[in-house]
Amino acid sequence: MNTLRLSAENIAALISARHPDPFAVLGPHRSKGRLVVRVFRPGAARVELNPGAGLRARTPRPFKRIHADGLFEVVVATAAGDTENENKEATPAYTLTVYQGGQGQRCEDPFRFAPVYNEETLGRYSAGEAFDCDSFLGAHRITHEGAAGIVFSVWAPNARRVSVVGDFNDWDGRVHPMRRRYTSGIWEIFIPQALEGARYKYEVVGVHGDLLPLKADPFAHYAERPPATASVVAPKAQHIWKDQEWMEKRGALQTRAAPISVYEVHLGSWRRMPEEDNRYLSYDELAEQLIPYVKDLGFTHIELLPITEYPFDGSWGYQPLSQFAPSSRFGEPDGFRRFVDRCHNAGVGVILDWVPGHFPNDLHGIARFDGTALYEHEDERQGYHPDWNTYIYNFGRHEVQNYLIASARHWLREFHLDGIRVDAVASMLYLDYSRKDGQWIPNEYGGKENLQAISFNRRLNETLYADFPDIATFAEESTSWPDVSRPVWDGGLGYGFKWNMGWMNDTLGYMCRDPVHRSYHHNEMTFGMVYAFSENFILPLSHDEVVHGKGSLLARMPGDTWQKFANLRACYGFMWAHPGKKLLFMGGEFAQGGEWNHDGSLDWHLLDTRWHQGVQRLLADLNRLYRERPALHQMDCESGGHEWLRVDDAERSIFAFARWSAGHEALCLAVVNLTPVVRHNEYIGVPRAGRYVEAINTDSSHYGGSNVGNFGAVHSEPVSADGRAHSLRLTLPPLGVLLLDYHGPA
């Protein structure tokens, strides 16, 4: 092609924004000692070239309009005029002055710049070896060939044309069509005049030539506040971290032997500002109010329901579209950095609820991103989730694994998070999850296991623990899939911990029954110990237990008001004594009265009443005891940390067990009476003779109970009970739990 003559076909393709390779015709092109420069600026009255090094001209040269829609061209002589070596020379320098509305604006020509990323970098993405792909995909502030600007890049291998549109080009897809990098399917463009804070999207012509709805950037680090949907060029992080002390020690605070007690929070409804149109608290306001509250209650960690930017409030964050952007509902990314930093300086870890299992079908999202099933499966039997009306990631695709693992690494690296809780793992592992016969496709061996998802989960954990050995990963896996929290090298999925959904269902199933019926369901409280040490378990009473008509935990307890509170306190006492790390959804700590409402604050006014205050005091004391007593946490995940003392007293709904520290050096007892009857002179066999101090009595008047107990301490007697030579003669409070701390021989 003669670079000095543009064909009618090329002109038509540029004007209609359908040209497959705009860099081949726009920008500078050499020919026989001359340079032809073309720019397409719709709406421009005129354009001038300001020559720089490498050009003979020294004064501005006007462009010639070659199409009425804004296509301009100018030909200038190069300084060297060396036709033999012209292709080896660097492109001469120049800038543009674009006149629009009578005003001239000097700017760089994006089409004069060479590609930013080399083929090796992009090749790693195609090969599935680019878990740092967020460093080159998305929008990034760089200096390229001496100019400062933003480089935009996006994966859309089947698109016919991709343009970046935004505040910097009046959202006109004709202005900044991107350069296709053919081997990787990535499109890129460097735009010097784009600035941090600019809103943008991608305009995509799909595989069939149709113009798709504008797409947000899958790799955006910041996004507009919903319901607006544009991506935002994220400002450079300015926050200076002050959590070095925490980062150095956090690994020891997240092991199987550490006390881990998690406060699960939905930032949008923990507390709002009703006097200011019910607005959200900002990240900084949450730091001021939430962190000291959690610290005072004694929780070791905060777990955030997903804050990866999501379009629909009613999804609670579980249908995210920006896997790299903290929700702008609460402020800018640096605001979230400050929140995490202040958590760490208060001695509180931060876990993010992260959703790699599915994504929503919003038109501006990644669904059918280039007109094809790119991130999802083409076949709905693999790619559509019937429960949530969402799409399922194609875990077998290298680029999708890059995208998801890079997201997890991004949160741990950029925001110093201490762990991620992976949502809905079971929905990933089973091809027939929530599907009937004929609605799913078996794997290559005829089974229902999703082999690609299994591989993804293992690779995720291998990568995260290799890069961040002191973090923790948590799986919400609701089936009996084996070895979820065993290392990959030992045949497991590699998670640090697994939510114990079986324990949750059995315990709440029992506690929600009227005490008169509990004797028939005694095994629901004991069966969990059969498998309690098969995984590293978290005991969760999460947000899922207080939604969709289930009511609050308090409302689900049987009996009158007194009994409801007593049952709830007993439930917490049993939970904190039971082997396993702890997780409680916000509001549960003060016995939230109504079902959780994501559109409003928790019922903070309830803390004006003594019963709700009492539950809150109990939670703080349980957390304190759990942290301070090695017997209650050190062997949470080891079979030697638990010993039944009484397990078969179904008729009277009495349970008793011992908790041991490593080496059986320390001992605590839990004695549980789940009927509203006071049991006097109840002999409970003990493994060691001596003095036992009543560390927690859930029936204490301090917690709103009836104050039935044992006057603070009791000594063992040489009376045989429960197969042991010594026992404690106890008064068991009604619907109560006693935690007794062994203080040595009498």
Side-chain angles (χ1 to χ4, degrees):
M1 181 183 74
N2 184 346
T3 59
L4 294 183
R5 182 176 299 171
L6 203 58
S7 69
E9 291 80 7
N10 272 305
I11 291 175
L14 285 173
I15 300 305
S16 63
R18 298 279 172 166
H19 202 290
D21 188 9
F23 278 81
V25 291
L26 294 176
H29 301 275
R30 290 176 175 275
S31 180
K32 299 179 180 179
R34 293 182 294 174
L35 193 75
V36 58
V37 180
R38 299 188 193 92
V39 300
F40 183 41
R41 291 300 176 98
R46 60 190 176 95
V47 182
E48 290 179 348
L49 180 141
N50 307 299
L55 293 176
R56 290 183 181 180
R58 291 292 178 266
T59 59
R61 296 288 303 274
F63 278 76
K64 177 184 177 181
R65 184 186 293 272
I66 60 175
H67 193 280
D69 282 0
L71 184 60
F72 297 85
E73 179 181 272
V74 67
V75 180
V76 292
T78 61
D82 184 352
T83 59
E84 183 177 348
N85 296 311
E86 65 180 9
N87 291 328
K88 299 179 182 179
E89 297 175 2
T91 300
Y94 66 88
T95 61
L96 307 173
T97 301
V98 179
Y99 291 86
Q100 197 163 1
Q103 299 293 320
Q105 181 180 7
R106 191 159 181 158
C107 59
E108 295 277 5
D109 179 7
F111 294 90
R112 83 168 179 86
F113 294 95
V116 174
Y117 300 115
N118 60 42
E119 292 298 334
E120 180 182 358
T121 296
L122 302 185
R124 289 193 300 111
Y125 185 70
S126 301
E129 298 171 355
F131 299 146
D132 61 343
C133 56
D134 57 311
S135 67
F136 59 84
L137 286 168
H140 298 278
R141 182 78 175 174
I142 65 168
T143 298
H144 182 49
E145 296 181 353
I150 307 296
V151 57
F152 297 89
S153 53
V154 66
W155 179 55
N158 304 304
R160 292 192 179 182
R161 188 264 294 170
V162 181
S163 296
V164 61
V165 296
D167 295 333
F168 40 83
N169 60 18
D170 294 326
W171 298 84
D172 190 332
R174 299 173 295 172
V175 177
H176 290 125
M178 304 172 78
R179 172 187 277 122
R180 182 200 292 265
R181 308 297 299 275
Y182 283 90
T183 57
S184 62
I186 289 172
W187 301 71
E188 76 165 43
I189 190 170
F190 173 66
I191 304 178
Q193 59 264 41
L195 299 173
E196 293 175 354
R199 300 175 304 144
Y200 71 98
K201 284 186 177 180
Y202 294 111
E203 185 178 277
V204 181
V205 174
V207 64
H208 302 299
D210 51 328
L211 187 64
L212 303 179
L214 293 181
K215 295 289 188 177
D217 187 352
F219 284 85
H221 289 184
Y222 192 30
E224 276 191 296
R225 179 170 175 166
T229 58
S231 302
V232 178
V233 179
K236 183 179 179 180
Q238 300 296 320
H239 179 68
I240 299 174
W241 291 93
K242 303 178 181 66
D243 63 348
Q244 290 82 0
E245 182 179 351
W246 169 269
M247 297 295 282
E248 289 171 1
K249 69 181 182 181
R250 70 174 180 179
L253 303 176
Q254 303 187 132
T255 68
R256 289 157 38 108
I260 298 177
S261 181
V262 182
Y263 187 67
E264 189 188 34
V265 182
H266 177 256
L267 291 184
S269 61
W270 180 73
R271 180 174 287 154
R272 291 203 182 185
M273 298 293 287
E275 65 276 16
E276 298 180 29
D277 198 27
N278 203 35
R279 71 166 176 84
Y280 299 117
L281 298 182
S282 69
Y283 290 121
D284 290 310
E285 289 171 323
L286 286 160
E288 290 286 343
Q289 299 179 40
L290 175 60
I291 295 172
Y293 179 77
V294 170
K295 181 72 174 176
D296 287 346
L297 285 173
F299 288 97
T300 64
H301 290 70
I302 293 172
E303 180 176 316
L304 305 175
L305 268 63
I307 61 165
T308 41
E309 193 62 86
Y310 53 98
F312 177 46
D313 284 349
S315 76
W316 315 327
Y318 287 98
Q319 294 190 13
L321 278 180
S322 294
Q323 288 280 25
F324 297 82
S327 179
S328 57
R329 290 167 174 83
F330 316 110
E332 294 187 350
D334 257 1
F336 184 56
R337 289 184 177 93
R338 290 191 295 271
F339 173 83
V340 175
D341 204 358
R342 292 183 65 173
C343 283
H344 287 171
N345 280 282
V348 177
V350 184
I351 302 163
L352 177 67
D353 213 337
W354 184 67
V355 187
H358 63 119
F359 60 90
N361 55 17
D362 297 66
L363 294 177
H364 70 282
I366 61 176
R368 312 291 295 189
F369 190 82
D370 63 359
T372 67
L374 197 57
Y375 288 85
E376 68 273 34
H377 289 274
E378 180 69 43
D379 193 317
E380 285 198 352
R381 292 174 295 174
Q382 294 175 291
Y384 175 74
H385 204 300
D387 282 357
W388 303 312
N389 188 31
T390 53
Y391 289 120
I392 299 170
Y393 286 105
N394 184 348
F395 300 110
R397 192 157 195 169
H398 289 155
E399 296 88 347
V400 174
Q401 287 205 19
N402 284 333
Y403 170 71
L404 291 172
I405 294 176
S407 166
R409 292 181 74 254
H410 173 80
W411 290 96
L412 297 172
R413 181 187 68 250
E414 293 297 319
F415 298 101
H416 287 205
L417 295 183
D418 305 295
I420 58 169
R421 176 264 196 188
V422 180
D423 179 63
V425 173
S427 74
M428 292 189 272
L429 297 177
Y430 294 96
L431 294 166
D432 65 342
Y433 188 89
S434 287
R435 298 177 188 274
K436 299 177 182 178
D437 290 344
Q439 294 180 341
W440 59 282
I441 301 175
N443 64 33
E444 59 190 277
Y445 304 107
K448 63 182 180 180
E449 299 81 12
N450 189 332
L451 303 179
Q452 295 172 340
I454 296 168
S455 175
F456 163 73
N457 276 271
R458 287 174 170 163
R459 198 172 189 189
L460 169 72
N461 283 299
E462 281 184 316
T463 302
L464 297 186
Y465 278 111
D467 293 344
F468 310 94
D470 55 352
I471 59 96
T473 60
F474 304 80
E476 186 220 10
E477 203 288 313
S478 55
T479 73
S480 57
W481 188 281
D483 300 328
V484 171
S485 58
R486 293 291 178 264
V488 172
W489 55 260
D490 196 25
L493 292 184
Y495 285 94
F497 298 92
K498 173 183 173 175
W499 277 26
N500 193 336
M501 308 298 283
W503 174 90
M504 177 274 297
N505 283 315
D506 286 346
T507 300
L508 287 184
Y510 180 94
M511 293 301 303
C512 293
R513 300 181 192 279
D514 190 289
V516 73
H517 302 302
R518 286 176 176 169
S519 62
Y520 303 104
H521 302 274
H522 194 76
N523 66 310
E524 291 179 342
M525 296 291 273
T526 61
F527 179 69
M529 290 311 304
V530 173
Y531 59 87
F533 307 107
S534 62
E535 302 276 4
N536 302 328
F537 277 126
I538 299 276
L539 308 182
L541 292 180
S542 74
H543 66 280
D544 281 327
E545 313 322 315
V546 293
V547 292
H548 301 317
K550 296 174 186 174
S552 69
L553 293 179
L554 178 68
R556 294 168 69 179
M557 296 295 115
D560 58 21
T561 300
W562 185 93
Q563 288 191 345
K564 284 181 180 294
F565 277 92
N567 274 301
L568 184 61
R569 293 193 303 268
C571 181
Y572 291 157
F574 176 76
M575 175 179 176
W576 258 254
H578 195 284
K581 311 308 179 186
K582 325 300 177 189
L583 180 140
L584 183 66
F585 184 55
M586 64 182 197
E589 77 280 5
F590 63 80
Q592 169 89 0
E595 185 172 278
W596 172 48
N597 172 19
H598 70 270
D599 282 327
S601 296
L602 296 178
D603 295 334
W604 294 105
H605 63 278
L606 295 177
L607 283 169
D608 293 335
T609 63
R610 67 179 185 88
W611 275 338
H612 294 276
Q613 292 170 0
V615 174
Q616 189 183 61
R617 292 192 195 103
L618 173 64
L619 257 296
D621 285 349
L622 286 170
N623 274 329
R624 174 187 51 76
L625 195 70
Y626 175 63
R627 292 194 321 272
E628 294 176 356
R629 300 298 193 274
L632 291 178
H633 65 257
Q634 207 169 67
M635 301 274 278
D636 265 336
C637 305
E638 310 290 342
S639 59
H642 176 275
E643 178 185 356
W644 280 115
L645 303 177
R646 183 176 300 177
V647 67
D648 56 359
D649 197 349
E651 183 178 350
R652 299 189 302 159
S653 299
I654 294 175
F655 311 83
F657 54 88
R659 293 296 312 276
W660 295 97
S661 68
H664 283 205
E665 292 181 1
L667 167 65
C668 286
L669 305 184
V671 184
V672 183
N673 173 24
L674 293 178
T675 65
V677 178
V678 178
R679 305 291 182 181
H680 295 284
N681 299 317
E682 187 72 30
Y683 282 90
I684 301 292
V686 292
R688 286 180 179 171
R691 180 171 179 262
Y692 289 80
V693 173
E694 204 172 67
I696 293 283
N697 178 351
T698 65
D699 190 51
S700 167
S701 59
H702 186 61
Y703 308 136
S706 57
N707 223 30
V708 173
N710 298 274
F711 302 102
V714 63
H715 291 76
S716 65
E717 301 176 16
V719 176
S720 177
D722 300 311
R724 290 164 176 81
H726 290 79
S727 61
L728 299 178
R729 182 159 57 99
L730 297 171
T731 297
L732 304 187
L735 298 173
V737 174
L738 300 176
L739 296 183
L740 301 157
D741 194 22
Y742 180 65
H743 277 234

